[in-house]
Amino acid sequence: MGDFDLLLGGLAAAATPENLMFAAIGVLLGTFVGVLPGIGPAMAVALLLPVTFGLEPTQAFIMFAGIYYGGMYGGSTTSILLNTPGESASVMTALEGNKMAKKGRAAQALATAAVGSFVAGTIGTLLVAFFAPPLAKVAVEIGAPSYFAIMVLALVMTTAVLGSSVLRGFVALFLGLTIGLVGLDPNTAQARISLGQAQLIDGLDIVVVAVGIFALGEALWVAAHLRRTPLQIVPVGRPFMGRADWGRSWKPWLRGTALGFPFGAIPAGGAELPTFLSYVTERKLAKNDEFGKGAIEGVAGPEAANNASAAGMFVPMLALGLPVTATASVMLAALQGYGIQPGPQLMTDQADLVWTLLASLLIGNFLLLVLNLPLAPVWARLLRIPRPQLYAGILFFACLGAYATNLDPFDIGLLLVFGLLGLMVRRFGLPVLPLILGVILGPLMEEKLREALSLSDGAWSGLLAEPLGIGVYVLIGVLVVLPPLLKRRAAARGTTPLDLAHPTDPTDRDEERVSR
């Protein structure tokens, strides 16, 4: 009851008119910033640091929290409407959300993203408030071997969403892992695949890669077919979710929250892996064949995982002083700028600040829902813009976002290269998801693999040094061996189990259209 009383006191402090104003400003700024590709919440917080120097610490962090959650939701808006992820954690949302938009269900996709963000953010914030110290202790005990095993599991599970051709899926995964190798070798500091360009030594920004392959690739694909396909305006559809949409969304919201929060609480974690796992889980559990055609579960689950992970990152930041994401790093620097040192004693030494901040997260989540749910039909009307003008705007903002990442014109050239790669991916029917997953997980897998081997003096047995890692590898073995056995058994009976049939991948339809 002590923590509950502290949370109520924090709510009373955060609910003052002045603090509510800062929370609303943060949510609005975060949403608008998240809509711009390449300008994520981390950059928004960094840009606004000088603005908050004259504010009290509580007010400044209330605004930062609003920007963070607003940026997470804003990234989903362009992912759904324009197939343009605002930041890397919104990549999974684009897969089904944009298909829903093209079917005239953009408002429903935006609504389930808004409600899912609210549900996951609220549950995640309550978990942070009541379980931060024990969760931080558990998170620290998960070492490099277990984390590497979890990422290997993610790559193995990719086979569930590769489409009808496993070979094409692994070709796309190989391309993604190769792109992830660009930069300096972590041990020798030798440049890899840099082609003599100094700008490539630090590696490739995932936002530039994702925006190029998704947004620019989609724009070039549409432009290549404008002469052969009639110009049509995508219908907006009904403005809100129906009873069936609510029935199909609430379980993915809860499952996404359960997946996202633990990964957010793990130091060196992030939202990319849980959003992918949520997407794969919902696709496996789907009782229909809508995945790849615009399944609302494919939006609800990853968005909930994204926001639950965003809440979970406050566990290591506040309790351990360890930033999990780029935004957490900026907020940690801001805390230190106010003379506040995060760590185990923060919950007692700065109790008023911590509990007011946690309470403001609850208020920010509520404001996010109140402000964005009615705006879903308004955002969806962007799709009524004719495609030439719409994609011209996408190209403008994509180039603006790529340039703003490092303020270097070289990134615009990279954007064009990955846009052409996105066009080729669509032309030859390669699935986009394994490619993006390889880019995201490749560098992190290499880092954890090297760390695990260094702890065991180079012995490969070090990868089996933790019980969690062993359990994950056993699960991988089951996932590799069990499906072929079930297929063989079903073939012997003359039937095909529904849960093993690959849903149609969106790129397969593109390939069919090209063949016609």
Side-chain angles (χ1 to χ4, degrees), residues 58-102:
T58 301
Q59 297 170 345
F61 285 101
I62 285 174
M63 182 182 288
F64 290 159
I67 292 170
Y68 186 64
Y69 274 160
M72 290 294 173
Y73 174 75
S76 68
T77 302
T78 48
S79 294
I80 292 169
L81 297 181
L82 308 177
N83 203 25
T84 307
E87 33 89 33
S88 58
S90 298
V91 169
M92 295 300 118
T93 306
L95 296 177
E96 300 298 326
N98 188 248
K99 296 295 183 297
M100 288 185 65
K102 291 180 178 179

CSV table of all heavy atoms in Angstrom, one decimal, residues 58-102:
chain,number,residue,atom,x,y,z
A,58,THR,N,10.6,18.3,-12.5
A,58,THR,CA,9.3,17.6,-12.7
A,58,THR,C,8.6,18.0,-14.0
A,58,THR,O,8.2,17.1,-14.7
A,58,THR,CB,8.4,17.8,-11.5
A,58,THR,OG1,9.1,17.4,-10.3
A,58,THR,CG2,7.1,17.0,-11.6
A,59,GLN,N,8.5,19.3,-14.2
A,59,GLN,CA,7.8,19.7,-15.5
A,59,GLN,C,8.6,19.3,-16.7
A,59,GLN,O,7.9,18.9,-17.7
A,59,GLN,CB,7.7,21.2,-15.4
A,59,GLN,CG,6.8,21.7,-14.2
A,59,GLN,CD,6.9,23.3,-14.1
A,59,GLN,OE1,7.8,23.9,-14.6
A,59,GLN,NE2,6.0,23.8,-13.3
A,60,ALA,N,9.9,19.4,-16.7
A,60,ALA,CA,10.7,19.0,-17.8
A,60,ALA,C,10.5,17.5,-18.2
A,60,ALA,O,10.3,17.1,-19.4
A,60,ALA,CB,12.2,19.3,-17.6
A,61,PHE,N,10.5,16.6,-17.2
A,61,PHE,CA,10.4,15.2,-17.5
A,61,PHE,C,9.0,14.8,-17.8
A,61,PHE,O,8.7,13.8,-18.4
A,61,PHE,CB,11.0,14.4,-16.3
A,61,PHE,CG,12.5,14.5,-16.3
A,61,PHE,CD1,13.2,15.3,-15.5
A,61,PHE,CD2,13.2,13.7,-17.2
A,61,PHE,CE1,14.5,15.4,-15.5
A,61,PHE,CE2,14.6,13.8,-17.3
A,61,PHE,CZ,15.2,14.6,-16.4
A,62,ILE,N,8.0,15.5,-17.3
A,62,ILE,CA,6.6,15.3,-17.7
A,62,ILE,C,6.5,15.6,-19.2
A,62,ILE,O,5.9,14.8,-19.9
A,62,ILE,CB,5.6,16.2,-16.9
A,62,ILE,CG1,5.5,15.7,-15.5
A,62,ILE,CG2,4.3,16.3,-17.6
A,62,ILE,CD1,4.6,16.5,-14.6
A,63,MET,N,7.1,16.6,-19.7
A,63,MET,CA,7.1,16.9,-21.1
A,63,MET,C,7.9,15.9,-21.9
A,63,MET,O,7.4,15.4,-23.0
A,63,MET,CB,7.7,18.3,-21.4
A,63,MET,CG,7.6,18.7,-22.9
A,63,MET,SD,8.4,20.3,-23.2
A,63,MET,CE,7.2,21.4,-22.5
A,64,PHE,N,9.0,15.5,-21.4
A,64,PHE,CA,9.8,14.4,-22.1
A,64,PHE,C,9.0,13.1,-22.2
A,64,PHE,O,9.1,12.5,-23.2
A,64,PHE,CB,11.1,14.2,-21.3
A,64,PHE,CG,12.1,15.3,-21.4
A,64,PHE,CD1,13.1,15.4,-20.5
A,64,PHE,CD2,12.0,16.2,-22.4
A,64,PHE,CE1,14.0,16.5,-20.5
A,64,PHE,CE2,12.9,17.3,-22.5
A,64,PHE,CZ,13.9,17.4,-21.6
A,65,ALA,N,8.3,12.7,-21.1
A,65,ALA,CA,7.6,11.5,-21.2
A,65,ALA,C,6.5,11.6,-22.2
A,65,ALA,O,6.2,10.6,-22.9
A,65,ALA,CB,7.0,11.2,-19.8
A,66,GLY,N,5.8,12.7,-22.3
A,66,GLY,CA,4.8,12.9,-23.3
A,66,GLY,C,5.3,12.8,-24.7
A,66,GLY,O,4.7,12.2,-25.6
A,67,ILE,N,6.5,13.4,-24.9
A,67,ILE,CA,7.2,13.4,-26.2
A,67,ILE,C,7.5,11.9,-26.6
A,67,ILE,O,7.3,11.5,-27.7
A,67,ILE,CB,8.4,14.2,-26.3
A,67,ILE,CG1,8.1,15.7,-26.2
A,67,ILE,CG2,9.3,14.0,-27.5
A,67,ILE,CD1,9.2,16.6,-25.9
A,68,TYR,N,8.0,11.2,-25.6
A,68,TYR,CA,8.4,9.8,-25.8
A,68,TYR,C,7.2,8.9,-26.3
A,68,TYR,O,7.2,8.3,-27.3
A,68,TYR,CB,9.0,9.2,-24.6
A,68,TYR,CG,9.6,7.9,-24.7
A,68,TYR,CD1,10.7,7.7,-25.6
A,68,TYR,CD2,9.1,6.8,-24.0
A,68,TYR,CE1,11.3,6.4,-25.7
A,68,TYR,CE2,9.7,5.5,-24.2
A,68,TYR,CZ,10.8,5.4,-25.0
A,68,TYR,OH,11.3,4.1,-25.2
A,69,TYR,N,6.1,9.0,-25.5
A,69,TYR,CA,4.9,8.2,-25.9
A,69,TYR,C,4.3,8.7,-27.1
A,69,TYR,O,3.8,7.9,-28.0
A,69,TYR,CB,3.9,8.2,-24.7
A,69,TYR,CG,4.2,7.1,-23.7
A,69,TYR,CD1,3.6,7.2,-22.4
A,69,TYR,CD2,4.9,6.0,-23.9
A,69,TYR,CE1,3.9,6.3,-21.4
A,69,TYR,CE2,5.2,5.0,-23.0
A,69,TYR,CZ,4.6,5.2,-21.7
A,69,TYR,OH,4.9,4.2,-20.8
A,70,GLY,N,4.2,10.0,-27.3
A,70,GLY,CA,3.6,10.6,-28.5
A,70,GLY,C,4.4,10.2,-29.7
A,70,GLY,O,3.9,9.9,-30.8
A,71,GLY,N,5.8,10.2,-29.6
A,71,GLY,CA,6.6,9.8,-30.7
A,71,GLY,C,6.4,8.3,-31.1
A,71,GLY,O,6.4,8.0,-32.3
A,72,MET,N,6.2,7.5,-30.1
A,72,MET,CA,6.0,6.1,-30.4
A,72,MET,C,4.7,5.9,-31.2
A,72,MET,O,4.6,5.1,-32.1
A,72,MET,CB,5.9,5.3,-29.1
A,72,MET,CG,7.2,5.1,-28.4
A,72,MET,SD,8.4,4.1,-29.3
A,72,MET,CE,9.9,4.3,-28.3
A,73,TYR,N,3.6,6.6,-30.8
A,73,TYR,CA,2.4,6.5,-31.5
A,73,TYR,C,2.4,7.2,-32.9
A,73,TYR,O,1.9,6.7,-33.9
A,73,TYR,CB,1.2,7.1,-30.7
A,73,TYR,CG,-0.1,7.1,-31.5
A,73,TYR,CD1,-0.8,6.0,-31.7
A,73,TYR,CD2,-0.6,8.3,-32.1
A,73,TYR,CE1,-2.0,6.0,-32.5
A,73,TYR,CE2,-1.7,8.3,-32.9
A,73,TYR,CZ,-2.4,7.1,-33.0
A,73,TYR,OH,-3.6,7.1,-33.8
A,74,GLY,N,3.1,8.4,-33.0
A,74,GLY,CA,3.2,9.1,-34.2
A,74,GLY,C,3.9,8.3,-35.3
A,74,GLY,O,3.6,8.4,-36.5
A,75,GLY,N,4.9,7.4,-34.9
A,75,GLY,CA,5.5,6.6,-35.9
A,75,GLY,C,4.6,5.6,-36.5
A,75,GLY,O,4.8,5.2,-37.7
A,76,SER,N,3.6,5.2,-35.8
A,76,SER,CA,2.6,4.2,-36.4
A,76,SER,C,1.7,4.9,-37.4
A,76,SER,O,1.2,4.2,-38.3
A,76,SER,CB,1.7,3.6,-35.2
A,76,SER,OG,0.9,4.6,-34.7
A,77,THR,N,1.5,6.2,-37.3
A,77,THR,CA,0.6,6.9,-38.2
A,77,THR,C,1.1,6.8,-39.6
A,77,THR,O,0.3,6.5,-40.5
A,77,THR,CB,0.4,8.4,-37.7
A,77,THR,OG1,-0.1,8.4,-36.4
A,77,THR,CG2,-0.6,9.1,-38.7
A,78,THR,N,2.3,7.2,-39.8
A,78,THR,CA,2.9,7.1,-41.2
A,78,THR,C,3.1,5.7,-41.6
A,78,THR,O,3.0,5.4,-42.8
A,78,THR,CB,4.2,7.9,-41.3
A,78,THR,OG1,5.1,7.5,-40.2
A,78,THR,CG2,4.0,9.4,-41.2
A,79,SER,N,3.4,4.8,-40.7
A,79,SER,CA,3.5,3.4,-41.1
A,79,SER,C,2.2,2.9,-41.7
A,79,SER,O,2.2,2.1,-42.7
A,79,SER,CB,3.9,2.5,-39.8
A,79,SER,OG,5.1,2.9,-39.4
A,80,ILE,N,1.1,3.2,-41.1
A,80,ILE,CA,-0.2,2.8,-41.5
A,80,ILE,C,-0.7,3.5,-42.8
A,80,ILE,O,-1.1,2.8,-43.8
A,80,ILE,CB,-1.3,2.9,-40.4
A,80,ILE,CG1,-1.0,2.0,-39.2
A,80,ILE,CG2,-2.7,2.7,-40.9
A,80,ILE,CD1,-1.8,2.3,-38.0
A,81,LEU,N,-0.6,4.8,-42.8
A,81,LEU,CA,-1.1,5.6,-43.9
A,81,LEU,C,-0.2,5.5,-45.1
A,81,LEU,O,-0.7,5.4,-46.3
A,81,LEU,CB,-1.3,7.0,-43.5
A,81,LEU,CG,-2.4,7.2,-42.4
A,81,LEU,CD1,-2.5,8.7,-42.1
A,81,LEU,CD2,-3.7,6.6,-42.7
A,82,LEU,N,1.1,5.7,-44.9
A,82,LEU,CA,2.0,5.9,-46.1
A,82,LEU,C,3.0,4.8,-46.2
A,82,LEU,O,3.9,4.9,-47.1
A,82,LEU,CB,2.7,7.2,-45.9
A,82,LEU,CG,1.8,8.4,-45.7
A,82,LEU,CD1,2.6,9.7,-45.5
A,82,LEU,CD2,0.8,8.6,-46.8
A,83,ASN,N,3.0,3.7,-45.4
A,83,ASN,CA,4.0,2.7,-45.5
A,83,ASN,C,5.4,3.2,-45.2
A,83,ASN,O,6.4,2.7,-45.7
A,83,ASN,CB,4.0,1.9,-46.8
A,83,ASN,CG,4.6,0.5,-46.7
A,83,ASN,OD1,4.6,-0.1,-45.6
A,83,ASN,ND2,5.1,0.0,-47.8
A,84,THR,N,5.4,4.2,-44.3
A,84,THR,CA,6.7,4.9,-44.0
A,84,THR,C,6.9,4.9,-42.5
A,84,THR,O,6.3,5.7,-41.8
A,84,THR,CB,6.6,6.4,-44.5
A,84,THR,OG1,6.3,6.4,-45.9
A,84,THR,CG2,8.0,7.1,-44.3
A,85,PRO,N,7.7,4.0,-42.0
A,85,PRO,CA,7.9,3.9,-40.5
A,85,PRO,C,8.6,5.2,-40.0
A,85,PRO,O,9.6,5.6,-40.5
A,85,PRO,CB,8.9,2.7,-40.3
A,85,PRO,CG,8.7,1.9,-41.6
A,85,PRO,CD,8.4,2.9,-42.7
A,86,GLY,N,8.0,5.8,-39.0
A,86,GLY,CA,8.6,7.0,-38.4
A,86,GLY,C,9.8,6.7,-37.6
A,86,GLY,O,10.7,7.5,-37.5
A,87,GLU,N,9.9,5.5,-37.0
A,87,GLU,CA,11.1,5.0,-36.4
A,87,GLU,C,11.1,3.5,-36.4
A,87,GLU,O,10.1,2.9,-36.8
A,87,GLU,CB,11.2,5.5,-34.9
A,87,GLU,CG,9.9,5.7,-34.2
A,87,GLU,CD,9.5,4.5,-33.5
A,87,GLU,OE1,10.3,3.8,-33.0
A,87,GLU,OE2,8.3,4.2,-33.4
A,88,SER,N,12.3,2.9,-36.1
A,88,SER,CA,12.5,1.5,-36.3
A,88,SER,C,11.4,0.6,-35.7
A,88,SER,O,11.1,-0.5,-36.2
A,88,SER,CB,13.9,1.0,-35.9
A,88,SER,OG,14.1,1.3,-34.5
A,89,ALA,N,10.9,1.0,-34.5
A,89,ALA,CA,10.0,0.1,-33.8
A,89,ALA,C,8.6,0.1,-34.5
A,89,ALA,O,7.8,-0.7,-34.1
A,89,ALA,CB,9.8,0.7,-32.3
A,90,SER,N,8.4,1.0,-35.5
A,90,SER,CA,7.1,1.0,-36.2
A,90,SER,C,7.1,0.2,-37.5
A,90,SER,O,6.2,0.2,-38.2
A,90,SER,CB,6.7,2.4,-36.5
A,90,SER,OG,6.5,3.2,-35.3
A,91,VAL,N,8.3,-0.5,-37.7
A,91,VAL,CA,8.4,-1.3,-39.0
A,91,VAL,C,7.3,-2.3,-39.1
A,91,VAL,O,6.7,-2.5,-40.1
A,91,VAL,CB,9.8,-1.8,-39.1
A,91,VAL,CG1,9.9,-2.8,-40.3
A,91,VAL,CG2,10.8,-0.7,-39.4
A,92,MET,N,7.1,-3.1,-38.0
A,92,MET,CA,6.2,-4.2,-38.0
A,92,MET,C,4.7,-3.7,-38.3
A,92,MET,O,3.9,-4.4,-38.9
A,92,MET,CB,6.2,-5.0,-36.7
A,92,MET,CG,7.5,-5.7,-36.4
A,92,MET,SD,7.9,-6.9,-37.7
A,92,MET,CE,9.4,-6.2,-38.3
A,93,THR,N,4.4,-2.5,-37.7
A,93,THR,CA,3.1,-1.9,-37.9
A,93,THR,C,2.8,-1.7,-39.4
A,93,THR,O,1.6,-1.8,-39.8
A,93,THR,CB,2.9,-0.6,-37.1
A,93,THR,OG1,3.3,-0.9,-35.8
A,93,THR,CG2,1.5,-0.1,-37.2
A,94,ALA,N,3.8,-1.4,-40.2
A,94,ALA,CA,3.6,-1.0,-41.6
A,94,ALA,C,3.1,-2.3,-42.4
A,94,ALA,O,2.4,-2.1,-43.4
A,94,ALA,CB,4.9,-0.5,-42.2
A,95,LEU,N,3.5,-3.5,-41.9
A,95,LEU,CA,3.2,-4.7,-42.7
A,95,LEU,C,1.7,-4.9,-43.0
A,95,LEU,O,1.3,-5.1,-44.1
A,95,LEU,CB,3.9,-5.9,-42.1
A,95,LEU,CG,5.4,-5.9,-42.0
A,95,LEU,CD1,5.9,-7.1,-41.2
A,95,LEU,CD2,6.0,-5.8,-43.4
A,96,GLU,N,1.0,-4.8,-41.9
A,96,GLU,CA,-0.5,-5.0,-42.0
A,96,GLU,C,-1.3,-3.7,-42.0
A,96,GLU,O,-2.3,-3.6,-42.6
A,96,GLU,CB,-1.0,-5.9,-40.8
A,96,GLU,CG,-0.4,-7.3,-40.8
A,96,GLU,CD,-0.6,-8.1,-42.0
A,96,GLU,OE1,-1.7,-8.0,-42.6
A,96,GLU,OE2,0.2,-8.9,-42.4
A,97,GLY,N,-0.7,-2.7,-41.3
A,97,GLY,CA,-1.4,-1.5,-41.2
A,97,GLY,C,-1.6,-0.8,-42.6
A,97,GLY,O,-2.7,-0.3,-42.9
A,98,ASN,N,-0.6,-0.8,-43.4
A,98,ASN,CA,-0.7,-0.2,-44.7
A,98,ASN,C,-1.7,-1.0,-45.6
A,98,ASN,O,-2.4,-0.4,-46.4
A,98,ASN,CB,0.6,0.0,-45.4
A,98,ASN,CG,0.6,0.8,-46.6
A,98,ASN,OD1,0.8,0.3,-47.7
A,98,ASN,ND2,0.3,2.1,-46.5
A,99,LYS,N,-1.7,-2.3,-45.5
A,99,LYS,CA,-2.7,-3.1,-46.2
A,99,LYS,C,-4.1,-2.8,-45.8
A,99,LYS,O,-5.0,-2.7,-46.6
A,99,LYS,CB,-2.4,-4.6,-46.0
A,99,LYS,CG,-1.0,-5.0,-46.6
A,99,LYS,CD,-1.0,-4.9,-48.1
A,99,LYS,CE,0.3,-5.4,-48.7
A,99,LYS,NZ,1.5,-4.6,-48.2
A,100,MET,N,-4.3,-2.6,-44.5
A,100,MET,CA,-5.6,-2.2,-44.0
A,100,MET,C,-6.0,-0.8,-44.6
A,100,MET,O,-7.2,-0.6,-45.0
A,100,MET,CB,-5.7,-2.1,-42.5
A,100,MET,CG,-5.6,-3.4,-41.8
A,100,MET,SD,-5.8,-3.2,-40.0
A,100,MET,CE,-7.5,-2.6,-39.8
A,101,ALA,N,-5.1,0.1,-44.7
A,101,ALA,CA,-5.4,1.4,-45.3
A,101,ALA,C,-5.8,1.3,-46.7
A,101,ALA,O,-6.7,2.0,-47.2
A,101,ALA,CB,-4.1,2.3,-45.1
A,102,LYS,N,-5.1,0.5,-47.5
A,102,LYS,CA,-5.4,0.3,-48.9
A,102,LYS,C,-6.7,-0.4,-49.1
A,102,LYS,O,-7.3,-0.2,-50.2
A,102,LYS,CB,-4.3,-0.5,-49.6
A,102,LYS,CG,-3.0,0.2,-49.7
A,102,LYS,CD,-1.9,-0.6,-50.4
A,102,LYS,CE,-0.6,0.2,-50.5
A,102,LYS,NZ,0.5,-0.6,-51.2
